[in-house]
Amino acid sequence: MTKYCDYLKEVGVNGDLFEVLCACKNSVKEISALVKLGKIGKAGTENVFGEEQLELDVESDEIIQKYMKECEQVGLIASEELPDEIKVGDGEYGVCYDPLDGSSLVDVNLAVGTIFGVYKTGSFVGVKGSEQVASVIAVYGPRTTLLLTTGNGVKEFILNAENKFEMNDKEITVGEGKMFAPGNLRASAKRKDYMDLVHYWCDNQYTLRYSGGMVPDVNQILLKGKGIFSYPGYEDAPNGKLRLLFECAPMAFLMEQAGGAASDGRMRILEKEVVSLDQRTPIYLGSKGEVRRCEEYLEK
Ligand code: AHM
Ligand code: MG
């Protein structure tokens, strides 16, 4: 059995980045236990973006903060739940994260996830996703699983009975195939181009697989090796809902490393500069041919 740390050493990730990625992994283990047994009520607070927080959102954020502050190699953090980036030390790595993405699904017991993007930077403003040195997502479903890239492809790890992340030998590559996860379908009421695209998928007998959590929805495309996840904008919210820094860029890095693509409809997600931490972007990611189809249908 290859464990997470063994794999990192095997692919030559030693020293500082090794410590940062261990901090990510250790936070995930603790959040996994919290999601399974912690309180699921509202925290009674809002994050800076005016979104209602659950106790689990706040506590997951605190867990990650704790591990990142303990890790000497991390100098900077930014969280979807915090108003600004925080300097936490002198380490050269910056870790941005969404501690519990999709947490509105917790009360109905659907899967949720954590997303990390790792950079070597002193500020996240001005970075591009292509500068990430690693990205990690964790899915808290019936099992807790973790996907990791350090720029050498993608590997999956599954939390086992000894509370260790064990590598899955399955090769993670995304080719072509008929599966779709159409986010923000509401937009199709005002966008004929999106409605036309949805009709294309239905007319061509694509399989619908959409849970409403970006992490499990994109994770399944990576694991099944095919499909498309879409989240366009529309008139009232031209850039949609999903955040470039915390959600889209780490997902795009994983998708490209698996042989898929990620676009905002015009350009690669990884080429977009982060102008503000809260910046949103439309996103289409999955099989290369499907991403191209989204660009063609939605170019207007
Ligand atoms: P969150 O970070 O507040 O949890 O929101 C992100 C989630 C994604 O996981 C998912 O793709 C999207 O919101 C779905 O949003 P909606 O149901 O509002 O279209
Ligand atoms: Mg989120």
Side-chain angles (χ1 to χ4, degrees):
M1 146 177 125
T2 306
K3 285 187 266 164
Y4 181 87
C5 296
D6 301 336
Y7 168 77
L8 288 174
K9 287 178 190 152
E10 258 171 40
V11 295
V13 176
N14 295 305
D16 289 2
L17 183 57
F18 178 85
E19 299 299 331
V20 176
L21 292 174
C22 285
C24 295
K25 180 243 329 166
N26 290 333
S27 334
V28 166
K29 282 189 187 175
E30 207 166 317
I31 296 171
S32 173
L34 177 76
V35 167
K36 293 207 184 331
L37 296 172
K39 289 190 210 139
I40 57 172
K42 291 179 182 153
T45 48
E46 288 182 347
N47 65 15
V48 277
F49 311 117
E51 295 159 344
E52 202 170 45
Q53 290 176 306
L54 298 182
E55 282 184 58
L56 289 179
D57 288 318
V58 176
E59 289 173 28
S60 302
D61 184 66
E62 286 168 358
I63 289 170
I64 298 177
Q65 279 200 47
K66 177 186 77 182
Y67 280 101
M68 295 305 151
K69 285 174 182 168
E70 275 172 18
C71 178
E72 281 172 21
Q73 292 76 10
V74 176
L76 183 76
I77 59 169
S79 162
E80 194 176 282
E81 300 300 332
L82 295 172
D84 214 342
E85 54 189 27
I86 307 176
K87 188 166 163 36
V88 291
D90 298 322
E92 61 178 342
Y93 287 93
V95 179
C96 55
Y97 58 90
D98 182 351
L100 204 60
D101 183 69
S103 57
S104 67
L105 301 171
V106 161
D107 60 352
V108 290
N109 207 17
L110 279 165
V112 292
T114 299
I115 308 169
F116 298 93
V118 182
Y119 296 78
K120 260 188 187 173
T121 186
S123 173
F124 292 109
V125 178
V127 297
K128 288 181 178 171
S130 58
E131 292 166 39
Q132 286 172 102
V133 293
S135 91
V136 173
I137 59 173
V139 183
Y140 312 107
R143 304 249 171 171
T144 294
T145 59
L146 183 153
L147 286 178
L148 161 76
T149 184
T150 55
N152 281 304
V154 179
K155 275 289 167 198
E156 188 194 37
F157 299 85
I158 302 174
L159 197 60
N160 68 14
E162 284 93 51
N163 204 33
K164 304 273 182 220
F165 274 108
E166 198 175 316
M167 192 168 87
N168 179 354
D169 289 329
K170 181 181 161 77
E171 201 186 321
I172 303 202
T173 49
V174 174
E176 300 302 319
K178 294 182 174 182
M179 187 169 77
F180 71 128
N184 202 9
L185 206 49
R186 295 174 298 268
S188 66
K190 289 188 179 171
R191 288 193 60 167
K192 185 177 175 303
D193 55 355
Y194 193 36
M195 186 62 104
D196 289 345
L197 179 57
V198 172
H199 276 143
Y200 173 88
W201 289 326
C202 294
D203 291 345
N204 286 280
Q205 300 186 318
Y206 279 49
T207 299
L208 173 66
R209 287 282 183 271
Y210 183 72
S211 76
M214 187 189 195
V215 181
D217 286 336
V218 175
N219 183 69
Q220 71 171 333
I221 294 173
L222 288 156
L223 268 295
K224 298 286 187 195
K226 62 178 182 186
I228 180 75
F229 173 91
S230 56
Y231 204 105
Y234 63 109
E235 228 169 65
D236 300 341
N239 292 315
K241 170 185 183 186
L242 300 173
R243 293 175 174 95
L244 177 59
L245 181 65
F246 301 115
E247 290 153 335
C248 298
M251 294 289 187
F253 190 27
L254 283 161
M255 191 56 77
E256 286 201 3
Q257 282 296 315
S263 165
D264 72 351
R266 294 205 168 96
M267 65 188 288
R268 272 172 80 213
I269 291 289
L270 293 182
E271 278 306 312
K272 289 181 75 123
E273 186 180 328
V274 173
V275 178
S276 68
L277 300 185
D278 184 31
Q279 183 177 342
R280 322 247 172 174
T281 178
I283 185 165
Y284 310 98
L285 78 169
S287 306
K288 278 183 179 159
E290 294 303 328
V291 171
R292 210 171 309 122
R293 192 188 322 284
C294 290
E295 290 177 333
E296 284 160 14
Y297 268 77
L298 306 173
E299 69 184 338
K300 292 133 270 174

